[in-house]
Structures are given as C-alpha cells and as structure tokens.
Amino acid sequence: MAGSLLLSHPEMEGDDFRRGVVYLSAHTHAEGALGFILNAPWGKVLGDMLTDFAYGPLSQVPLFRGGPVQPEQLMFAALDFAGDGPFMRFGIEETVAENLVISGSAHTQVRAFLGYSGWTAGQLESELMRDTWIVAEPDRELMRTLEGEALWRALTLKAKPELAYLLDAPEDPSLN
C-alpha cells in the first residue's frame, strides 16, 4: 500500500490521527508500515522553529507534525503536484531539499516533518479490518489547494461519499 493515503474514519477518536490524512511511504506485511500526517501543519516555518535553519534556504519550508513516533526527528519530503511519477518522496537529504527550494519549481513543494507515524507488522492490517482507515489514492489537485481538516473532508468525501452524513456530525452528539 506504499504510496496510498490513509484517511481516518470520521468516527475515529483520539488526538493523534483524528481527521487525519496519512501518506503511507512504506508498507510490508512482515515489517509494518511507515507514514506521515499530511494535514497537521504547525503553522510555522522551519526557520521559526529550529534556529539551525533560520538563515538558510530552508528557512521558509513549512513544518508539519508527521506523527506521534519520535516527534523530535526531522525529515524532509518533496511533493510533486504535476507529473505521473510518485506524489511524494520522503526522507530526502537536506542538500536535496535545499536544491529543490533554490530551483523554485512551481510544481514541487518541500515540507519538513517532525515525527512520523508507524505500525508494527500486522497492526495496520488489523486497523483496516476494523474500518479505522479509508485507503485512497493521492489527489494532487486537492492536496495542492487544501490543508488541514478541509483536505481530510474533501478526500474522505471523494473516497467514500456514503459517509457524508458523518463528516458534519458534532464532536459530542449529546450537545446537538
């Protein structure tokens, strides 16, 4: 399933993945899965959060919360909003990220992630059997134009339109 998106089911609870869009960068049945939350921006750029990057070419790269595992680990990714190749390349070297930023391609965006999302062997498969996640293909246009919960809503509606009634459900139905 590497290269797919995991969309949290509308009824998922908890802070880490609620209304989350996870890009699955690696997956094997024997070793588990690795991914990054795409719609959890810190609202800051790399230079604001980490002084080592304050004055370099990566200072304005947006910073995202990649997941609950090793939240201090910094990783770079390149998102390709055009073309037919892979949508994302994770774990790119800092120098590659710098070169992409310097080249200023309108179709490629560099993002920085703190932490990642991980599943042990069989864990993700078990969660999929319980309908915790909706598996979807990346939609370059939606991912280029939307962020946060709006991205999750649009991708979920596209993948599972029959869940539309749950997308607007209140956090606590007893308060409705």
Side-chain angles (χ1 to χ4, degrees):
M1 291 189 321
S4 298
L5 298 177
L6 298 177
L7 311 173
S8 64
H9 191 279
E11 294 180 320
M12 180 188 275
E13 299 199 13
D15 292 334
D16 288 328
F17 297 109
R18 181 162 172 67
R19 299 189 177 196
V21 176
V22 177
Y23 180 81
L24 211 57
S25 62
H27 176 252
T28 66
H29 295 289
E31 296 188 23
L34 172 79
F36 298 85
I37 302 171
L38 297 180
N39 66 329
W42 285 108
K44 298 183 185 259
V45 293
L46 195 55
D48 291 342
M49 293 284 284
L50 301 170
T51 56
D52 292 350
F53 296 97
Y55 300 106
L58 298 175
S59 65
Q60 296 303 305
V61 168
L63 189 60
F64 288 75
R65 183 176 61 85
V69 182
Q70 295 185 358
E72 69 288 343
Q73 182 179 354
L74 177 67
M75 294 188 74
F76 292 100
L79 288 72
D80 179 8
F81 293 109
D84 298 326
F87 171 66
M88 301 189 86
R89 291 182 293 141
F90 270 96
I92 62 173
E93 297 290 328
E94 185 177 327
T95 55
V96 172
E98 288 175 350
N99 289 335
L100 288 169
V101 168
I102 291 169
S103 71
S105 169
H107 302 294
T108 303
Q109 182 186 79
V110 174
R111 289 185 182 178
F113 292 84
L114 286 173
Y116 64 91
S117 304
W119 293 264
T120 59
Q123 183 181 5
L124 180 57
E125 290 80 0
S126 176
E127 291 179 12
L128 288 168
M129 289 177 63
R130 292 191 314 268
D131 291 329
T132 304
W133 299 101
I134 299 161
V135 179
E137 290 301 313
D139 182 314
R140 283 178 158 95
E141 184 60 24
L142 288 177
M143 296 174 84
R144 185 181 64 76
T145 58
L146 298 174
E147 289 186 348
E149 190 174 317
L151 176 61
W152 169 81
R153 292 174 61 79
L155 289 167
T156 301
L157 190 57
K158 180 178 178 184
K160 294 281 187 177
E162 66 273 18
L163 296 178
Y165 72 98
L166 289 174
L167 297 180
D168 295 319
E171 294 277 332
D172 183 354
S174 68
L175 299 177
N176 192 8

